[in-house]
Amino acid sequence: MEERRRKILQELEEKGKVRVNELSAELGCSEVTIRNDIKCMERAGLLIRTHGGALKIEETPQKKYSAESIYRNADKKKAIAACAYDTIEERDTIIIDDTSTGFYLALYIKQHPEKRIAVVTNSLLVGNELAGLDHVELYMVGGPVGGYLASTMGDEAIADISRFHVDKAFIGVHGINFDVGITSTASAQTQIKQAVMKVADQVIVLADSTKFGGGYLSVICPLNEIDQIITDGEVEEEYISRARQEEIPLVIA
């Protein structure tokens, strides 16, 4: 058992993430055994368990930024970010908006230079993490800076976004309401997200399991305008069933 778990940690150190089925085949044991190993290792603080695998524990930038929302549900957001990274192809152009889950996607991109991509963002935090990387061609959206997570917004930012065209947009949301769509808290954020959606071939929502249900102030768009929602393994079964019934692509990280 100790040798098996040492091998799991070695794989995590080398790859950043592992899959249960791959470990089962490589180590010659059942998937149930690997899942039990991963559960025990998570309790020991050695890894982050995800749906179907595990992630390496990366250092969290606890003192680098003051915004509390970055660190809330961090493990869920890291798992979602890793899953989102799998949707990105070599030489893709993407937009990452100004949300905490998008920030973790930027960190994951920073830590995994195996794909060369172009990134457009209005988030100063995302831009700060991705600036100067050899594998990232970074474009910052202009405009006045504001918001809880510092970002450009307003008419100038919207006009600047409209000049781009990207393969994929990764956006965060305040909530997912199956009756009305994806929601936001303010009109300025809503307008930015709507502008981002217009210039993307695919729109992927990054939302941890706490974002499902609840009230809303502003509706960004109906759910049928979204290509995919990526969430974590703690999403309630009623939302999984609702997504299946309404044919909404829901991916569990």
Side-chain angles (χ1 to χ4, degrees):
M1 180 182 68
E2 290 181 3
E3 176 63 21
R4 190 174 61 243
R5 294 181 181 179
R6 185 193 65 79
K7 180 62 176 177
I8 292 173
L9 288 176
Q10 182 180 335
E11 290 283 305
L12 280 173
E13 185 64 31
E14 293 175 357
K15 301 177 182 178
K17 61 182 176 180
V18 293
R19 303 291 298 176
V20 168
N21 59 345
E22 294 173 357
L23 287 172
S24 173
E26 182 178 347
L27 300 177
C29 58
S30 71
E31 293 189 8
V32 172
T33 297
I34 297 297
R35 289 193 188 95
N36 287 335
D37 283 341
I38 288 174
K39 287 179 182 178
C40 291
M41 294 168 75
E42 182 185 45
R43 287 196 293 268
L46 299 174
L47 50 73
I48 299 169
R49 184 161 56 101
T50 66
H51 184 76
L55 292 177
K56 176 183 175 182
I57 293 180
E58 306 282 0
E59 182 180 353
T60 300
Q62 294 183 351
K63 296 182 180 179
K64 193 170 185 179
Y65 302 105
S66 60
E68 176 61 29
S69 64
I70 291 177
Y71 314 110
R72 195 180 303 129
N73 300 314
D75 288 351
K76 294 184 178 71
K77 293 171 183 177
K78 289 177 183 178
I80 292 168
C83 187
Y85 182 78
D86 285 342
T87 71
I88 300 172
E89 304 290 340
E90 172 74 10
R91 299 290 180 179
D92 262 357
T93 55
I94 69 172
I95 285 184
I96 303 175
D97 76 348
D98 57 324
T99 56
S100 55
T101 310
F103 169 78
Y104 281 103
L105 175 57
L107 286 183
Y108 201 89
I109 291 170
K110 180 179 182 178
Q111 294 157 358
H112 293 81
E114 53 265 31
K115 297 174 187 175
R116 295 184 61 85
I117 59 175
V119 179
V120 179
T121 186
N122 70 319
S123 167
L124 273 63
L125 278 63
V126 168
N128 185 52
E129 295 298 332
L130 297 182
L133 300 179
D134 290 340
H135 63 288
V136 175
E137 188 175 343
L138 178 65
Y139 297 89
M140 291 299 303
V141 172
V145 175
Y148 186 62
L149 296 176
S151 60
T152 55
M153 54 182 57
D155 292 342
E156 289 180 44
I158 291 170
D160 206 4
I161 290 169
S162 69
R163 289 192 280 269
F164 290 97
H165 171 265
V166 299
D167 299 302
K168 300 177 179 78
F170 297 93
I171 66 173
V173 296
H174 173 69
I176 297 174
N177 185 308
F178 282 90
D179 294 322
V180 298
I182 58 172
T183 66
S184 183
T185 56
S187 60
Q189 293 175 322
T190 299
Q191 291 165 2
I192 288 289
K193 293 177 193 298
Q194 289 171 339
V196 165
M197 292 174 63
K198 289 178 181 178
V199 301
D201 289 338
Q202 296 181 50
V203 178
I204 301 173
V205 171
L206 309 180
D208 67 68
S209 51
T210 66
K211 299 298 181 71
F212 288 77
Y216 62 94
L217 290 176
S218 177
V219 177
I220 300 167
C221 70
L223 287 172
N224 61 11
E225 295 184 18
I226 299 300
D227 293 286
Q228 190 177 101
I229 299 171
I230 303 177
T231 189
D232 61 82
E234 294 185 22
V235 63
E236 294 180 15
E237 182 60 38
E238 66 174 289
Y239 299 123
I240 297 174
S241 298
R242 185 81 182 267
R244 189 181 302 117
Q245 291 168 6
E246 300 187 18
E247 299 183 344
I248 298 166
L250 180 66
V251 176
I252 299 176

